[in-house]
Amino acid sequence: MPENNDNFDKYTPFFSASSSQLFLQKCYTQEKIAEAEIKSYDNCYPFIYHLEHAKTYYNQAAIAPLSIQPILTFYGFSQLLKACLLTVDPNYPESTSMLAHGVTTRKKKKQQYEFLKDEVKTQKNGLFTCIAEKLFHIKHLEGEKYSMGTLMKEIPDMHTWSISKKNFVALLPSSNGFQLPSSILDSYQMSSSRLEEFLKAKTNQIYSISEASGTLHLKTEGVPIHNATSPIRYNLAEGQFMLSLNKDSSAFSLPELLIHYLISYNLSIIARYETEWWAELMKTMPNDDYPCIVQFLKISQAKVPFLIFEWIKSERFHI
């Protein structure tokens, strides 16, 4: 069976030592890192190897049985994140604590366990903490708990899934920005002026909101960022930005990459250590857990490489 390379086609220019060295030098110069040229030479091959390793994991996940897909997907994801970290920190990893996952979950699941109700808890050190701080400048997430259902609801590609009410509304392109139905005000329980103030604080991308003929017009500058700390998220399957309606969610403004990481971590733990429950789920399919997990894996295997590339190539340079 041929490898599924589609998700990594955009990465092809990086599979060159000279191209990666020049790219890393540009990154380090922007970060005002001393000896940018020397460090870019030191890291160009580790950078390439992380990307190559990630590509191998994702290609294998695409053709692997469902039983081991979460493990391959999570390890591929981790390799992509390590490549990202090398673009902002030439000394990564500076300590062994950075090599931990940065998140934990209950290893032994309770009786009547349901995946969507399961929780993960963030830790002080590890990969999750590194990417939150170094890629997204988010601190103080230690000890935060997130349920799988809460996290799933913040992935716009899953907004048609029946785990809850509708969670997103599409941002339809218009002159100087986007438009939304005025019914969004009922969902947020806000006036248009209050919603404008709220979204300005949450996104740094919405500049004004006006209302006319049952439609809200959102004036923005340029296209929203795919990896922002914002409730505006990109639906890859439908090719459009969408606004989350879950304003009271603990994950409302988390960058989507962090959301995928937390879910992927937990699924990899289940596939590795909860063999009996995992096998029973795939055989009996007793509730919404099975189709929800299958849908997430399909979405994440396509979307994570896309989001990572957007961050590496465009958004870190504000292009």
Side-chain angles (χ1 to χ4, degrees):
M1 185 178 294
E3 289 187 336
N4 177 14
N5 293 326
D6 293 351
N7 298 331
F8 282 85
D9 285 348
K10 291 182 178 180
Y11 289 84
T12 301
F14 288 125
F15 297 122
S16 153
S18 58
S19 294
S20 289
Q21 181 271 315
L22 289 172
F23 173 73
L24 290 175
Q25 185 175 340
K26 181 181 178 182
C27 295
Y28 298 157
T29 300
Q30 177 179 277
E31 299 288 335
K32 297 180 171 57
I33 293 170
E35 300 180 319
E37 185 175 5
I38 294 173
K39 289 178 179 176
S40 67
Y41 276 107
D42 291 341
N43 286 327
C44 66
Y45 280 110
F47 178 72
I48 291 172
Y49 295 153
H50 283 309
L51 295 180
E52 282 188 331
H53 216 35
K55 180 178 178 180
T56 300
Y57 274 124
Y58 276 101
N59 283 339
Q60 292 305 305
I63 61 175
L66 177 64
S67 59
I68 60 172
Q69 278 189 33
I71 302 168
L72 296 169
T73 302
F74 179 69
Y75 284 144
F77 192 175
S78 298
Q79 292 296 321
L80 285 177
L81 291 174
K82 290 172 182 178
C84 287
L85 287 169
L86 275 181
T87 69
V88 294
D89 181 0
N91 300 313
Y92 174 82
E94 293 183 87
S95 67
T96 55
S97 65
M98 289 184 175
L99 299 175
H101 296 310
V103 59
T104 187
T105 186
R106 184 193 301 271
K107 293 295 192 297
K108 188 66 178 176
K109 306 303 182 185
K110 298 177 180 178
Q111 285 189 333
Q112 308 302 317
Y113 169 78
E114 293 180 45
F115 175 75
L116 292 174
K117 293 181 180 178
D118 197 11
E119 288 185 330
V120 290
K121 183 179 180 181
T122 59
Q123 296 180 308
K124 183 177 181 179
N125 298 308
L127 186 55
F128 180 83
T129 307
C130 281
I131 59 176
E133 293 184 359
K134 294 181 180 289
L135 273 58
F136 302 112
H137 311 292
I138 303 173
K139 297 184 178 181
H140 313 301
L141 286 178
E142 179 188 357
E144 292 289 333
K145 291 183 179 181
Y146 300 96
S147 75
M148 296 297 100
T150 295
L151 294 168
M152 289 279 193
K153 291 173 189 174
E154 290 301 321
I155 298 176
D157 309 67
M158 295 193 71
H159 77 106
T160 56
W161 184 243
S162 61
I163 58 173
S164 71
K165 62 185 175 103
K166 190 174 181 182
N167 296 302
F168 283 86
V169 62
L171 292 170
L172 302 177
S174 65
S175 58
N176 299 320
F178 299 89
Q179 63 183 32
L180 291 164
S182 293
S183 58
I184 192 77
L185 299 176
D186 294 329
S187 300
Y188 273 80
Q189 298 181 315
M190 295 179 183
S191 64
S192 59
S193 59
R194 176 69 186 95
L195 181 63
E196 176 183 317
E197 180 184 330
F198 179 78
L199 290 181
K200 278 183 178 179
K202 291 291 184 182
T203 68
N204 294 318
Q205 296 172 293
I206 303 296
Y207 292 92
S208 66
I209 296 179
S210 57
E211 185 175 7
S213 303
T215 301
L216 295 180
H217 295 273
L218 282 65
K219 186 177 181 181
T220 62
E221 185 175 305
V223 177
I225 296 173
H226 295 82
N227 293 292
T229 51
S230 164
I232 294 177
R233 308 188 189 281
Y234 187 69
N235 185 323
L236 181 62
E238 298 179 14
Q240 62 183 359
F241 286 94
M242 308 186 83
L243 176 65
S244 171
L245 301 179
N246 306 310
K247 68 181 179 68
D248 297 320
S249 168
S250 58
F252 181 67
S253 294
L254 272 186
E256 194 177 337
L257 275 175
L258 296 186
I259 291 170
H260 281 263
Y261 183 86
L262 292 172
I263 299 171
S264 296
Y265 162 80
N266 198 23
L267 278 175
S268 75
I269 291 294
I270 290 169
R272 278 181 283 172
Y273 301 115
E274 295 297 327
T275 309
E276 182 179 354
W277 182 85
W278 185 232
E280 284 295 318
L281 177 76
M282 289 182 286
K283 291 179 187 298
T284 64
M285 307 174 192
N287 53 31
D288 281 349
D289 283 355
Y290 177 82
C292 193
I293 289 170
V294 171
Q295 182 77 352
F296 169 77
L297 286 169
K298 180 180 178 182
I299 289 169
S300 195
Q301 286 168 17
K303 196 167 189 183
V304 165
F306 168 82
L307 290 175
I308 293 279
F309 181 83
E310 286 298 314
W311 185 88
I312 287 179
K313 189 64 176 172
S314 301
E315 289 160 4
R316 70 180 321 279
F317 294 115
H318 307 292
I319 295 173

